[in-house]
Amino acid sequence: MSAPFGETANPEDVTRRPGPWPDVNQRVEIFGSTWGTWLPSRVEDRRADRLVVAVPQNPDRPEPLGRPTDFVAVRWTGPRGIGMVEATALTASRAGIVPTWELVGRGQPVLFQRRRFARVPVVLPARVVTRRGAWGITILDLAEGGIRCLAPQMVPIEPGEPIEVAFDFDGLGVTTGAQVVRWALAPGGVTIVFRFVELPRAVADRLRRFVFRQELATSGAR
């Protein structure tokens, strides 16, 4: 794994500390032993340590979920990391036409943060532009801080050389400055690690959320 991105499976790269509650209208996921997986939901209201959330829908079970009798876990992503809190479901009601549960926290939320940039594997087409021309490349790993790519061997790029990369992710087109961190020979070409230079804050935030969503989809918060 590339040092600039961190070891995503290494617990030493993760800090755990008290964090804020999710905001009203924030998308969350809820886990309960009754259904055994994370299901999407949304915060309809919050009062102190109580959350009113939309009853999650299980795509594998058409019937509505009943109010869980044991505690559930709620998690969400934000600019600072992954939030999580355990809660007990007190009541089932409706917020307008939306069926809801009222959850009371069994403690304060915990915030999981990366000490270094986390990365996720992807396969995305991209384009790299240098003063000598432009080439198509394939992104293999994506992070807030940079990318690792597979490029043709004839791409003449030196470590530290300023270049420009362009790619799409999560429905967003990105063009940003970058620098080569290192490269290595690989089957079919060379792998090149690029570090982003002056990536706009809004794009960096969206990249961070995208990476966390991908991690949650595959392995959950660690």
Side-chain angles (χ1 to χ4, degrees):
M1 292 188 178
S2 172
F5 304 141
E7 304 285 344
T8 60
N10 186 351
E12 294 182 356
D13 286 335
V14 180
T15 60
R16 175 184 172 129
R17 63 187 64 183
W21 290 86
D23 296 325
V24 175
N25 292 324
Q26 184 160 358
R27 295 188 180 277
V28 297
E29 293 181 301
I30 301 178
F31 181 92
S33 59
T34 304
W35 54 90
T37 188
W38 292 96
L39 297 177
S41 179
R42 185 181 64 195
V43 177
E44 301 291 336
D45 194 11
R46 184 176 79 83
R47 298 182 294 275
D49 62 347
R50 300 194 179 198
L51 298 173
V52 177
V53 299
V55 175
Q57 299 296 310
N58 189 338
D60 298 325
R61 298 172 57 183
E63 66 274 13
L65 290 174
R67 180 174 64 87
T69 56
D70 56 358
F71 72 89
V72 298
V74 183
R75 71 182 180 189
W76 58 94
T77 60
R80 295 173 55 197
I82 301 172
M84 184 177 295
V85 67
E86 292 182 354
T88 300
L90 296 182
T91 61
S93 58
R94 285 182 176 270
I97 63 173
V98 179
T100 61
W101 292 334
E102 182 178 2
L103 309 179
V104 59
R106 293 163 55 94
Q108 293 300 305
V110 173
L111 181 68
F112 295 85
Q113 294 175 302
R114 297 292 184 183
R115 292 177 184 158
R116 293 179 291 177
F117 294 128
R119 65 179 185 134
V120 291
V122 295
V123 178
L124 295 174
R127 187 173 177 84
V128 58
V129 179
T130 77
R131 62 179 180 274
R132 290 177 291 274
W135 291 267
I137 58 177
T138 300
I139 300 176
L140 304 177
D141 291 304
L142 177 63
E144 179 189 347
I147 51 178
R148 183 172 67 93
C149 305
L150 179 66
Q153 287 193 18
M154 72 285 297
V155 175
I157 304 176
E158 298 295 332
E161 177 183 353
I163 55 93
E164 188 176 80
V165 293
F167 60 95
D168 294 343
F169 82 96
D170 200 28
L172 178 69
V174 177
T175 299
T176 185
Q179 283 188 330
V180 177
V181 177
R182 62 180 176 275
W183 63 271
L185 293 175
V190 295
T191 56
I192 306 176
V193 175
F194 294 105
R195 179 183 296 119
F196 295 140
V197 177
E198 297 182 353
L199 188 67
R201 176 64 179 272
V203 177
D205 289 345
R206 188 159 172 176
L207 262 173
R208 186 187 311 112
R209 291 193 294 269
F210 174 79
V211 169
F212 276 127
R213 286 203 307 273
Q214 298 304 306
E215 288 193 309
L216 289 174
T218 58
S219 59
R222 282 183 283 265

